[in-house]
């Protein structure tokens, strides 16, 4: 060992020791912070499915590859990071001796070939990612980007580290080639041989380059260890457990979609009949009241901004960015952690749990962080502004796009629950809706005895449950379908088509009440459970004696469809629920409904969030429309899983939109740009919002918003007087 090798070996050993010590300390700190969260025992079920899903999503990059070039580039960089870590390990042998290498596999030609290919593709990948970050930098001309609010220096730092490590990998090999110490043939490692051809035959070059590579790598480890909130770096470790522990690992898309996570206290579902606000947790009032999985979510955020780029609130000038919300919660959790780890915190009555002695040694900044309200304005020092919390439509675009399976919607609703149930703090206009739900069983406050008024004037009898001996489907009409004038046309169209197809169905009539969706999404779990339990009891009685496969429900509202099918099971209601577009597509495909007159003028389809993104129903409504128009659908740029929200979800239907551009107007402009004269929808909320947007643009005579069922009815029964613009204003 020469003098150069002695120096490089000492340097490598010293910086590695420091880096490893800091990394261990950082990991212990992160684990301690995450463990502050509440229990979530359901995250440990079905470990085989969880492991399989984690491997598919990480190795296959199934979520990242939705973004094409970005996903492919990221995959090469990820594989490069994992596989070429072996070359970082090899560098420790190379600092000691110029002909050093990994034991056993280090001399295999296949090892040289694979690492050469991965190194080249990794270089291409990281250069592509660097170019994309620069092209989308927040300071560029043209406004905000998905990186707005991200800590840009951290992204640049990580990318440059990766680039330099890859470059020095080839430099080391080049010096080995130049000094005739390289064991791999030209055909297996052409780039390394090309680099070696231009490098001098410097005998100590291998050891020096290896030392530089180790210093670069350990500098990266030191920097991220000193910045435990550096998600752009830590996600490459945390993504694995975060995906493994996601809520529903078997779901084909975002696991935080569909049903909401039940309201829990100490890891157990909350029973409102026995719950006590002084003993049980009602929603989230402090960051440590999120589950440990929530704190892991916050720690894992990569700051990539894909959620932000898809969020309807952010895209229309609202203060909500799912990314910035998660980052605010992350930074708050880690800043507050010293206080919590010292025993601090408020009990459910608001009393401090720690003694003065426990808190005496704490940094003043940690104590100041502990005093911040989780929800509050800037003047109040709040972590999350109320306008941020209430801008969310729960559309799920953030969850759909997140490459590491963060469950934004669950966290937002958990914070809403505390605000509604304990603080009674929510947009005032929504109070009318909640009172109507409690007192009248529907958001509009319409009399219950008018639930069957939509049946008047039909040329056939609509059977009621209890009046017929048997039926195949229970037709869940929903509140909008029963009371809102525009939605009643959809209800009548569906009933007419079912009757035309000879489908045996029945309705509950006055026995039906609101599914509870708007109450649950605004955060009033108490009202939701009151309504849901009543409905579950009614439905179980209606289906008495049937197994689940024969407890069939068809619903026209995606919010009812989602609630009945995905959430009533939490309360003992197990049903087979289909959306009306799914049933109609089946009836057309089996020849029970036959379109005879194509609907012309061009048709575009708007995917409702709770039908498409939340429940993956994309094909059925398009199949129905394809048969009805006998041609190609004109798709909007944002469609299917990337469809843009109408603005009504998350109980936003009953709240004023006072900030930024109206979401429904943004969507209507996109629909009108297709040139289609008909905008087909599959949701009464979407129908209301898009009709309002069309009328607001003064285009009511040029563009019609109409449900898929009505489009099909016009084709199946052209003489049916279903025409006329659906411009009746929303009731209530």
């Amino acid at each position: 060992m020469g003098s150069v090798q002695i120096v490089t070996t000492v340097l490598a050993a010293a910086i590695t020791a420091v880096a490893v010590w800091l990394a261990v300390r950082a990991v212990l700190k992160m684990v301690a912070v995450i463990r502050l969260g509440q229990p979530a025992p359901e995250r440990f079920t079905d470990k085989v499915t969880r492991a399989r899903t984690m491997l598919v999503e990480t190795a296959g990059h199934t979520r990242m590859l939705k973004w094409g070039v970005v996903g492919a580039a990221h995959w090469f960089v990820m594989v490069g990071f994992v596989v070429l870590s072996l070359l970082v390990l090899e560098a420790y042998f190379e600092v000691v001796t110029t002909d050093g290498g990994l034991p056993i596999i280090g001399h295999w030609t296949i090892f040289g070939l694979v690492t050469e290919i991965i190194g080249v593709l990794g270089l291409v990948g990281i250069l592509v990612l660097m170019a994309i970050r620069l092209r989308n930098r927040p300071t560029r001309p043209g406004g905000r980007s998905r990186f707005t609010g991200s800590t840009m220096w951290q992204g640049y730092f990580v990318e440059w580290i990766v680039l330099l490590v890859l470059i020095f990998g080839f430099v080391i090999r080049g010096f080995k080639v130049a000094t005739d110490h390289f064991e791999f043939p030209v055909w297996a490692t052409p780039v390394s041989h090309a680099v070696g051809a231009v490098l001098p035959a410097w005998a100590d070059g291998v050891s020096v380059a290896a030392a530089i590579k180790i210093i670069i790598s350990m500098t990266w480890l030191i920097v991220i260890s000193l910045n435990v909130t550096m998600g752009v770096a830590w996600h490459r470790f945390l993504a694995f457990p975060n995906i493994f522990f996601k809520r529903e690992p078997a779901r084909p898309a975002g696991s935080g979609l569909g049903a909401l996570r039940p309201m829990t206290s100490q890891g157990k579902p909350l029973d409102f009949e026995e719950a006590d606000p002084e003993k049980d947790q009602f929603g989230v009032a402090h960051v440590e009241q999120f589950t440990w999985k929530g704190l892991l979510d916050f720690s894992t955020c990569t700051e990539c901004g894909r959620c932000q780029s898809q969020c309807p609130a952010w895209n229309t000038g609202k203060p909500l960015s799912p990314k910035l919300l998660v980052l605010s919660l992350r930074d708050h959790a880690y800043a507050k952690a010293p206080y919590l780890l010292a025993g601090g915190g408020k009990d459910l009555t608001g009393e401090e749990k720690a003694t003065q002695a426990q808190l005496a040694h704490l940094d003043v900044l940690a104590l100041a962080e502990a005093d911040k309200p989780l929800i509050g304005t800037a003047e109040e020092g709040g972590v999350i502004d109320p306008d941020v919390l209430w801008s969310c439509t729960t559309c799920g675009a953030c969850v759909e796009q997140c490459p590491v399976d963060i469950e934004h919607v669950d966290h937002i609703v958990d914070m809403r629950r505390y605000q509604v149930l304990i603080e009674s703090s929510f947009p005032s206009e929504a109070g009318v809706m909640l009172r109507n739900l409690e007192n009248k069983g529907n958001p509009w406050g319409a009399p219950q005895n008018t639930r069957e008024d939509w049946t008047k004037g039909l040329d056939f009898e609509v059977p009621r449950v209890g009046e017929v001996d048997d039926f195949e489907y229970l037709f869940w009409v929903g509140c909008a379908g029963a009371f809102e004038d525009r939605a009643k046309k959809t209800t009548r169209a569906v009933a007419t088509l079912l009757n035309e197809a000879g489908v045996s169905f029945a309705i509950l009539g006055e026995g039906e009440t609101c599914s509870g969706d708007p109450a649950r999404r605004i955060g009033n779990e108490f009202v939701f459970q009151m309504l849901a339990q009543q409905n579950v009891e009614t439905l179980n009685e209606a289906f008495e004696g049937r197994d689940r496969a024969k407890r069939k429900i068809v619903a026209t509202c995606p919010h009812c469809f989602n609630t009945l099918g995905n959430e009533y099971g939490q309360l003992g209601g197990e049903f087979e629920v289909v959306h009306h577009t799914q049933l109609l597509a089946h009836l057309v495909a089996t020849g029970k409904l036959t379109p005879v007159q194509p609907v012309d003028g061009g048709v575009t389809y708007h995917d409702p969030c709770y039908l498409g993104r939340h429940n993956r129903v994309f094909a059925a409504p398009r199949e129905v429309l394809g048969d009805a128009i006998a041609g190609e659908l004109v798709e909007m740029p944002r469609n299917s899983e990337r469809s843009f929200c109408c603005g009504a979800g998350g109980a936003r239907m009953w709240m004023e939109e006072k900030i930024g551009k109206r979401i429904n107007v943004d969507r209507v402009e996109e629909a009108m740009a297709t040139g289609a004269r008909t905008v087909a929808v599959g949701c009464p909320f979407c129908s209301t919002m898009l009709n309002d947007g069309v009328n607001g643009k003064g285009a009511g005579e040029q563009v019609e918003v109409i449900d898929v069922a009505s489009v099909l009815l016009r084709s199946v029964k052209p003489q049916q007087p279903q025409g006329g613009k659906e411009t009746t204003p929303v009731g209530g």
Side-chain angles (χ1 to χ4, degrees):
M1 180 186 293
S3 58
V4 171
Q5 282 70 40
I6 292 173
V7 172
T8 55
T9 300
V10 170
L11 283 174
I15 195 169
T16 301
V18 172
V20 170
W21 177 73
L22 290 173
V24 170
R25 190 182 70 166
V27 169
L28 292 175
K29 180 178 180 179
M30 295 176 77
V31 170
V33 171
I34 291 167
R35 284 169 61 92
L36 289 169
Q38 300 302 303
E42 73 280 2
R43 304 287 180 167
F44 294 92
T45 60
D46 200 0
K47 293 182 178 64
V48 173
T49 299
R50 292 182 179 280
R52 182 171 57 247
T53 299
M54 179 192 70
L55 290 172
V56 169
E57 284 195 23
T58 52
H61 250 44
T62 52
R63 298 176 71 78
M64 282 293 295
L65 286 174
K66 293 177 180 179
W67 290 79
V69 173
V70 178
H74 192 276
W75 187 84
F76 289 129
V77 172
M78 180 202 72
V79 172
F81 177 83
V82 174
V83 176
L84 299 185
S85 295
L86 291 172
L87 296 187
V88 175
L89 177 61
E90 186 175 51
Y92 285 93
F93 294 91
E94 292 162 338
V95 296
V96 177
T97 175
T98 56
D99 60 353
L102 279 178
I104 304 174
I105 66 171
H107 301 286
W108 294 355
T109 299
I110 188 64
F111 175 74
L113 173 64
V114 170
T115 51
E116 185 89 353
I117 293 171
I118 292 174
V120 171
L121 294 177
L123 273 172
V124 173
I126 197 62
L127 289 171
V128 168
L129 294 180
M130 292 173 80
I132 289 171
R133 187 178 293 273
L134 286 170
R135 188 185 66 194
N136 292 283
R137 65 193 185 280
T139 55
R140 82 199 193 290
R144 300 184 295 182
S145 80
R146 66 183 176 94
F147 291 118
T148 299
S150 297
T151 313
M152 294 301 287
W153 76 263
Q154 295 180 351
Y156 293 135
F157 171 78
V158 168
E159 287 167 348
W160 272 102
I161 288 290
V162 172
L163 179 64
L164 290 172
V165 167
L166 289 168
I167 289 173
F168 271 89
F170 285 109
V171 170
I172 293 169
R173 286 185 163 189
F175 274 121
K176 284 187 174 182
V177 171
T179 56
D180 202 26
H181 288 127
F182 199 50
E183 57 269 81
F184 304 125
V186 175
W187 68 265
T189 53
V191 176
S192 297
H193 279 272
V195 173
V198 299
L199 289 178
W202 180 25
D204 296 323
V206 172
S207 294
V208 172
I212 294 174
K213 182 176 182 178
I214 290 171
I215 290 170
I216 292 170
S217 301
M218 292 304 107
T219 298
W220 173 80
L221 189 55
I222 289 170
V223 170
I224 73 167
S225 298
L226 294 174
N227 294 272
V228 291
T229 58
M230 195 171 173
V232 69
W234 281 106
H235 82 272
R236 61 194 60 203
F237 305 112
L238 297 177
F240 296 97
N242 207 55
I243 294 170
F244 181 88
F245 288 115
K246 68 179 181 175
R247 177 151 59 87
E248 295 178 79
R251 279 186 67 90
S255 98
L257 298 173
L260 277 175
R261 180 176 173 272
M263 193 167 169
T264 61
S265 180
Q266 293 299 313
K268 299 178 181 178
L270 199 65
D271 183 348
F272 277 94
E273 292 184 1
E274 300 179 359
D276 181 351
E278 294 188 359
K279 297 179 181 178
D280 294 302
Q281 179 180 316
F282 280 56
V284 169
H286 306 286
V287 71
E288 65 272 19
Q289 291 180 339
F290 286 106
T291 66
W292 61 262
K293 175 57 169 65
L295 295 177
L296 178 59
D297 269 0
F298 309 152
S299 303
T300 308
C301 179
T302 73
E303 302 190 24
C304 68
R306 286 176 178 80
C307 58
Q308 182 171 286
S309 71
Q310 302 295 300
C311 177
W314 177 261
N315 277 287
T316 53
K318 314 292 189 291
L320 168 64
S321 156
K323 177 187 72 178
L324 298 181
L325 179 139
V326 166
L327 297 186
S328 295
L329 293 170
R330 178 197 69 189
D331 293 345
H332 173 59
Y334 280 87
K336 188 178 180 180
Y339 160 78
L340 296 171
L341 292 170
K346 302 289 194 300
D347 63 22
L348 294 173
T349 64
E351 295 296 319
E352 176 59 58
K353 293 187 288 187
T355 64
Q356 287 295 323
Q358 287 177 294
L359 303 180
H361 69 285
L362 284 182
D363 183 85
V364 65
L365 294 178
L367 291 172
E369 196 72 29
D371 286 335
K372 288 184 177 180
L374 188 64
I375 306 298
T377 62
E379 293 76 17
E380 296 166 336
V383 178
I384 304 297
D385 191 278
D387 284 335
V388 170
L389 185 67
W390 297 109
S391 291
C392 180
T393 66
T394 67
C395 71
C398 49
V399 179
E400 169 76 34
Q401 293 300 327
C402 182
V404 293
D405 283 307
I406 294 172
E407 296 160 5
H408 312 71
V409 173
D410 282 344
H411 305 321
I412 288 171
V413 173
D414 269 342
M415 290 186 285
R416 285 183 172 187
R417 284 165 168 166
Y418 180 82
Q419 293 300 304
V420 172
L421 294 171
I422 302 299
E423 297 291 336
S424 295
S425 177
F426 52 89
S428 57
E429 61 270 21
V432 176
M433 177 268 292
L434 289 173
R435 286 192 296 274
N436 285 337
L437 286 177
E438 285 195 77
N439 300 326
K440 299 289 187 177
N442 68 86
W444 285 278
Q448 186 72 355
N449 61 10
T450 62
R451 269 198 180 268
E452 299 179 32
D453 284 2
W454 64 270
T455 64
K456 295 177 180 177
L458 291 173
D459 56 6
F460 59 91
E461 188 70 23
V462 177
R464 280 75 174 165
V465 172
E467 297 177 359
V468 290
D469 294 331
D470 195 20
F471 55 89
E472 184 179 5
Y473 286 95
L474 188 149
F475 182 13
W476 183 272
V477 176
C479 298
F483 300 121
E484 201 269 314
D485 290 332
R486 192 180 294 114
K488 282 196 278 189
K489 295 183 180 181
T490 301
T491 308
R492 292 165 63 88
V494 171
T496 301
L497 288 166
L498 295 181
N499 182 70
E500 182 75 11
V503 175
S504 171
F505 71 96
I507 63 172
L508 289 172
E510 293 183 29
E512 184 183 304
T513 191
C514 180
S515 68
D517 166 85
R520 189 168 225 198
R521 264 88 196 147
I522 202 173
N524 198 325
E525 185 75 5
F526 175 78
V527 171
F528 164 73
Q529 291 203 20
M530 177 185 73
L531 295 168
Q533 287 170 351
Q534 179 180 336
N535 282 326
V536 166
E537 185 177 338
T538 301
L539 290 169
N540 283 339
E541 184 178 333
F543 288 122
E544 188 174 4
R546 301 191 191 190
D547 58 31
R548 176 170 176 169
K550 294 183 179 180
R551 295 157 68 92
K552 297 180 182 179
I553 299 174
V554 58
T556 58
C557 175
H559 297 264
C560 296
F561 166 66
N562 177 70
T563 303
L564 271 63
N566 294 329
E567 298 185 334
Y568 275 17
Q570 300 169 4
L571 300 170
E574 298 290 341
F575 313 109
E576 290 292 332
V577 187
V578 298
H579 189 252
H580 71 282
T581 58
Q582 293 176 295
L583 181 54
L584 294 179
H586 170 72
L587 295 175
V588 172
T590 54
K592 294 182 179 179
L593 289 174
T594 305
V596 295
Q597 180 172 310
V599 176
D600 57 14
V603 178
T604 189
Y605 173 65
H606 163 78
D607 288 274
C609 300
Y610 273 83
L611 181 63
R613 198 156 35 236
H614 278 278
N615 285 284
R616 322 309 295 170
V617 179
F618 301 119
R622 288 174 168 80
E623 291 168 2
V624 173
L625 292 170
D627 290 322
I629 65 179
E632 288 294 322
L633 204 62
V634 184
E635 292 282 10
M636 286 182 260
R638 295 177 291 192
N639 64 78
S640 301
E641 67 268 9
R642 292 193 190 175
S643 179
F644 197 70
C645 183
C646 74
R652 289 293 320 176
M653 178 86 167
W654 291 275
M655 302 182 217
E656 292 295 329
E657 196 170 346
K658 302 173 183 177
I659 304 172
K661 183 179 182 180
R662 294 183 67 86
I663 294 173
N664 62 332
V665 171
D666 191 294
R667 186 57 165 169
V668 160
E669 289 174 353
E670 185 175 4
M672 292 174 62
T674 65
R677 290 184 55 83
T678 301
V679 180
V681 297
C683 171
F685 290 0
C686 295
S687 177
T688 295
M689 299 299 284
L690 298 188
N691 262 297
D692 288 352
V694 167
N695 293 333
K697 299 288 292 184
E701 294 301 316
Q702 293 79 45
V703 178
E704 181 180 18
V705 180
I706 187 173
D707 191 87
V708 171
S710 294
V711 175
L712 179 62
L713 183 59
R714 291 179 183 180
S715 180
V716 171
K717 301 182 71 173
Q719 77 283 2
Q720 191 74 16
Q722 282 286 330
K725 303 293 183 184
E726 298 191 1
T727 55
T728 309
V730 181

